[in-house]
Amino acid sequence: MIMAYGVANLLQSMAAARTSVHHTFDPGLLVRLAGQRTYLLGIACQTLGFILAFLARRDLPLFLVQASVAAGLGVTAVLGVLLLKWSLPTAEVLLLGLLLSGITALVLAAQPAHSRRIGPVVVLLLAASVLVMAVLGFFAARLHGALGSVVLGSLAGVDFSAAAIAARPLTNEHTLVGFLTNPLLYLVVIHSLVGQLLLGLAMQRGSTTAAVAAMDAAGAVPAAIVGLLLLGDRIVPGRGWLAATGFVATLLAVIALTRYAEPQHHHATAPPRPASPGLRAAAIRR
């Protein structure tokens, strides 16, 4: 899963940089991106990562799975060095080591268990959050520069987090009919699509670094909290400190890695008229 998301990060960021900047909450962005082979390959890798993450959520707590999703940025950084000849500063080597240590700590602290079923109230809240995210995204799409990257990236992270929360109890379905008729399935799909649109907008703004950091934090933290409080996620007795340390270390490493995963081509962000793609050094999103 981590490998698949790492490759998807690289391919989708390259595609977003080649697409004209959108300053509105326009689903047409996904259509334009879909016209690029690079983006479609990235979506294929992301779909594979999504399926593997879904299967992992059947037994593993969300704090481990979501932190591992964010850790895909480490793979992106390594691929950038190997394929795109990015530089590998000492700080990045240390951060990759911290990332590996954080994930290892989470693996040791996580106790496998099936998810609890969630009640209709939680399902309704997840459904209502789709509308809330769409409305917020409509206004956030008007923002430019680093602020737009942070806000749109955060909203994308919340949508992906909501999709993860819906997916965890959905894995309890053992029949095809039950799976297809469960409203959680459609909440996973809708939240993922809205999150993908918000992410595409965020990657086009002035600071992809800020977008990545905001998305990873917003995508991992809410799901981890909800998983522990409502879904029955478990930590091995006596290893709560290890889980907390590993989670924080993983997020800090991912956020810091966005400063070194470079260079990336992305657009100038001046809103008055379409601008041709510029070349700037920036970090790749997760």
Side-chain angles (χ1 to χ4, degrees):
M1 177 195 70
I2 294 175
M3 291 293 295
Y5 274 122
V7 175
N9 293 339
L10 189 65
L11 295 174
Q12 289 185 45
S13 294
M14 292 169 60
R18 299 170 184 167
T19 306
S20 58
V21 179
H22 279 52
H23 298 290
T24 60
F25 188 68
D26 181 10
L29 173 61
L30 294 180
V31 176
R32 292 194 181 190
L33 288 171
Q36 298 188 41
R37 184 178 302 176
T38 301
Y39 185 77
L40 292 178
L41 288 174
I43 286 294
C45 292
Q46 186 174 6
T47 301
L48 175 60
F50 179 85
I51 293 172
L52 295 173
F54 181 83
L55 295 175
R57 293 185 187 107
R58 180 177 55 191
D59 298 308
L60 299 179
L62 288 180
F63 66 79
L64 171 57
V65 179
Q66 294 310 106
S68 298
V69 169
L73 182 64
V75 175
T76 304
V78 173
L79 290 176
V81 172
L82 297 177
L83 301 180
L84 303 181
K85 308 304 180 184
W86 293 353
S87 61
L88 187 64
T90 302
E92 188 174 56
V93 176
L94 295 176
L95 288 171
L96 288 172
L98 179 62
L99 181 63
L100 179 60
S101 299
I103 294 296
T104 301
L106 289 173
V107 170
L108 295 174
Q111 182 172 327
H114 290 302
S115 171
R116 294 175 187 162
R117 293 189 177 275
I118 58 176
V121 174
V122 178
V123 175
L124 288 175
L125 288 175
L126 287 171
S129 66
V130 174
L131 180 60
V132 173
M133 290 297 102
V135 172
L136 292 177
F138 175 81
F139 291 103
R142 303 171 186 268
L143 300 174
H144 310 291
L147 178 60
S149 296
V150 169
V151 175
L152 288 165
S154 297
L155 293 177
V158 172
D159 261 312
F160 290 135
S161 186
I165 292 169
R168 175 93 160 103
L170 180 62
T171 59
N172 289 327
E173 294 290 351
H174 299 296
T175 65
L176 181 59
V177 173
F179 184 79
L180 294 177
T181 56
N182 194 319
L184 291 176
L185 171 63
Y186 302 98
L187 288 175
V188 169
V189 174
I190 294 173
H191 271 295
S192 297
L193 289 175
V194 175
Q196 194 66 32
L197 173 57
L198 290 167
L199 181 59
L201 292 168
M203 288 193 299
Q204 292 188 319
R205 293 310 186 264
S207 175
T208 306
T209 296
V212 172
M215 184 192 65
D216 285 329
V221 175
I225 294 174
V226 172
L228 289 170
L229 295 179
L230 299 179
L231 303 181
D233 288 0
R234 299 178 185 178
I235 299 173
V236 176
R239 297 184 184 176
W241 64 272
L242 187 61
T245 301
F247 191 79
V248 172
T250 300
L251 280 187
L252 288 178
V254 167
I255 292 171
L257 273 171
T258 63
R259 306 297 304 182
Y260 295 99
E262 56 184 359
Q264 177 196 325
H265 305 284
H266 70 249
H267 297 282
T269 56
R273 60 173 63 107
S276 56
L279 303 184
R280 289 185 59 187
I284 291 286
R285 76 110 183 149
R286 159 197 75 72

